[in-house]
Amino acid sequence: MGSMEKVKATRELEDIIKEVDYLSLQKQMPSSFALEFITFIKMVNGEGGEEHKSPIIHLDMLDQVAEHDENLFVAFRGSAKTTALHEYMFLYIATYGGIPKFGEVNVAIYVSDTIDNGVKSMRQNLEFRYNKSEFLQKYIPWVKFTDVRWEFKNLEGKSFCVRGFGASTGVRGFKEYGERPTWCHEEGTIIGSDFGTMKVED
């Protein structure tokens, strides 16, 4: 490992955050995907609408999802990153079969702190959202929820499966429908990256 690589690997999360240009959010011009996703959220919730208006930070996150294969989002508590980027994203993929520019998604994994806490909570949230939404029930007519496996079949007959894992659970070799996952969400745990190992709280 060269000297520059050592410097890169030992950077602290706080130092990386200091380099973020927050003023750029004021000039945010959301992509068509971000606007489509926000519209999807409104359709899911029907006339009742979402509890809060969609903040600019969500539009920026959605733009990153559409443009990059790998993303690490570090956000303050209460930013609803789990709701937007995990809960609604799974339901979006289940409805439409994939993500624009990213492509088709058949299998996904969701890694949280523990199965009993984060994974089961996500299952409850997805199931609650589905049972309350006429839109989802119309466009995803078949679903099957267990504590760690959530399967959907949309109106066109396309299947999508999400498997939940605790952070200490091995995911090696996991497959559904004979294929490995192409979409992974990891939250509320320890993240390893080129910048080292960092604790990420949800």
Side-chain angles (χ1 to χ4, degrees), residues 117-199:
N117 183 36
V119 174
K120 287 185 178 179
S121 292
M122 178 56 68
R123 176 259 172 99
Q124 292 171 354
N125 292 342
L126 289 170
E127 193 167 11
F128 174 82
R129 192 78 65 184
Y130 179 83
N131 289 335
K132 291 287 186 179
S133 174
E134 293 182 6
F135 174 84
L136 290 176
Q137 291 172 33
K138 177 180 179 180
Y139 289 97
I140 315 173
W142 187 89
V143 297
K144 182 178 181 181
F145 293 102
T146 67
D147 283 343
V148 298
R149 188 176 183 275
W150 319 313
E151 189 173 12
F152 310 85
K153 187 175 290 185
N154 69 13
L155 202 57
E156 298 177 350
K158 184 183 182 302
S159 295
F160 170 57
C161 184
V162 185
R163 174 70 187 274
F165 293 89
S168 61
T169 307
V171 300
R172 183 178 175 84
F174 166 69
K175 288 184 179 181
E176 283 282 355
Y177 312 138
E179 62 181 84
R180 299 197 185 281
T182 55
W183 192 265
C184 173
H185 284 253
E186 187 171 16
E187 59 107 5
T189 183
I190 301 297
I191 303 293
S193 73
D194 290 342
F195 299 115
T197 301
M198 307 168 188
K199 184 176 181 181

Side-chain angles (χ1 to χ4, degrees), residues 89-102:
M89 190 65 72
F90 288 143
L91 295 171
Y92 180 95
I93 294 172
T95 302
Y96 298 110
I99 301 292
K101 295 187 179 181
F102 183 88

